[in-house]
Amino acid sequence: MSQSKPRVAAVSYLNTVPLVWGMLQGPQKHAADLSFCLPSECAERLRDGSADIGLLPVIEAARQNLPAVPGTGIACEGPVRSILLFTKIPWTQIRRLAVDHGSRTSVMLTRILLRERFGVEPECVAMRPHLPSMLAEADAALLIGDAALRVQPERQPYESLDLGAVWHDLTGLPMVFARWAGPRLPADAPALFDGSWHYGQERLPEIIDHQADRRGLPRGLVREYLQNHIRFTIGPRELQGLEAYLQLAASLEPALSL
């Protein structure tokens, strides 16, 4: 990298904030050139060289054959709340699936789970994350991130699935959605990202209050989500879940680099 500090592309969703809090507010504030975008855009920035490290969808890290920074990322074990699949017809009859244009890992996860659980492999069409519009054009719709958090599934006139819960039911393992990755990782990358996360972890109540106000989400939902649904540490069980995900993804995308 030619810059004195890495250009870091982070995801703009709520679940990323604890990971980058140190780079926003703490000791790591001047250690990286930090910017925010959608998960799919993080992947494109790594591909075109406009970022050095990104919080990359794990499917894109495999597609681009990029090494990951050990230690931190975005994962869950059981319900995740922010990856929701809705259908207006029986699950086994889905032929057309509207997917959030910002998603990569979750689109592949949806394809895996629809095939493994319901035996269907629908056509996918990318759309903006607006549930009524998506279901006007398709049989089923995938919402991720903050768009999913703003929807109350139990109040919708559609059947829904939390894909973190379905993955855990299928495999008994955690699901990893994103990790810090890049083509040429500096030796101090683990210290940078671990330090930023630990700074955020120690200030989680502050983050919850700040982000609930900023994003217009109920505090109770933000607290439950960041404290109980999202895992920020990528340990041996998370890596086992990631391996299982990539193996299943490769059965749908044989060119995938494993």
Side-chain angles (χ1 to χ4, degrees), residues 99-130:
V99 299
D100 188 324
H101 62 75
S103 177
R104 296 285 173 86
T105 293
S106 299
V107 171
M108 179 59 77
L109 178 62
T110 304
R111 293 176 61 198
I112 290 169
L113 295 177
L114 284 176
R115 183 189 65 177
E116 296 296 319
R117 184 160 174 178
F118 301 109
V120 296
E121 297 187 32
E123 170 196 7
C124 294
V125 56
M127 296 183 65
R128 68 185 183 92
H130 180 255

Side-chain angles (χ1 to χ4, degrees), residues 17-28 193-204 206-207:
V17 177
L19 290 177
V20 300
W21 201 244
M23 287 184 277
L24 286 172
Q25 305 285 347
Q28 297 78 26
F193 295 112
D194 282 350
S196 182
W197 152 235
H198 287 303
Y199 185 85
Q201 182 183 33
E202 292 168 356
R203 292 158 180 81
L204 206 53
E206 172 188 337
I207 292 172

Side-chain angles (χ1 to χ4, degrees), residues 51-224:
D52 302 306
I53 303 172
L55 189 58
L56 207 62
V58 294
I59 193 67
E60 278 298 321
R63 285 171 178 158
Q64 298 185 40
N65 196 23
L66 295 176
V69 180
T72 59
I74 302 292
C76 72
E77 184 162 10
V80 66
R81 182 54 182 87
S82 59
I83 314 289
L84 301 177
L85 181 63
F86 296 87
T87 184
K88 64 183 184 183
I89 65 173
W91 297 101
T92 55
Q93 296 178 21
I94 294 171
R95 298 294 178 266
R96 184 173 169 88
L97 169 66
V99 299
D100 188 324
H101 62 75
S103 177
R104 296 285 173 86
T105 293
S106 299
V107 171
M108 179 59 77
L109 178 62
T110 304
R111 293 176 61 198
I112 290 169
L113 295 177
L114 284 176
R115 183 189 65 177
E116 296 296 319
R117 184 160 174 178
F118 301 109
V120 296
E121 297 187 32
E123 170 196 7
C124 294
V125 56
M127 296 183 65
R128 68 185 183 92
H130 180 255
L131 188 59
S133 300
M134 297 169 93
L135 288 174
E137 298 290 332
D139 303 320
L142 172 68
L143 290 179
I144 72 166
D146 292 7
L149 291 175
R150 291 193 170 91
V151 171
Q152 294 179 289
E154 66 279 1
R155 295 191 177 183
Q156 301 301 315
Y158 314 108
E159 288 190 63
S160 66
L161 293 172
D162 181 306
L163 295 194
V166 180
W167 172 258
H168 192 262
D169 288 345
L170 177 68
T171 66
L173 293 167
M175 175 65 203
V176 180
F177 295 99
R179 300 178 74 191
W180 297 110
R184 294 174 299 279
L185 298 175
D188 62 351
L192 168 63
F193 295 112
D194 282 350
S196 182
W197 152 235
H198 287 303
Y199 185 85
Q201 182 183 33
E202 292 168 356
R203 292 158 180 81
L204 206 53
E206 172 188 337
I207 292 172
I208 290 165
D209 286 343
H210 179 273
Q211 292 297 304
D213 289 341
R214 182 177 181 274
R215 296 173 190 264
L217 292 169
R219 275 177 174 72
L221 173 63
V222 175
R223 183 180 303 107
E224 176 73 11

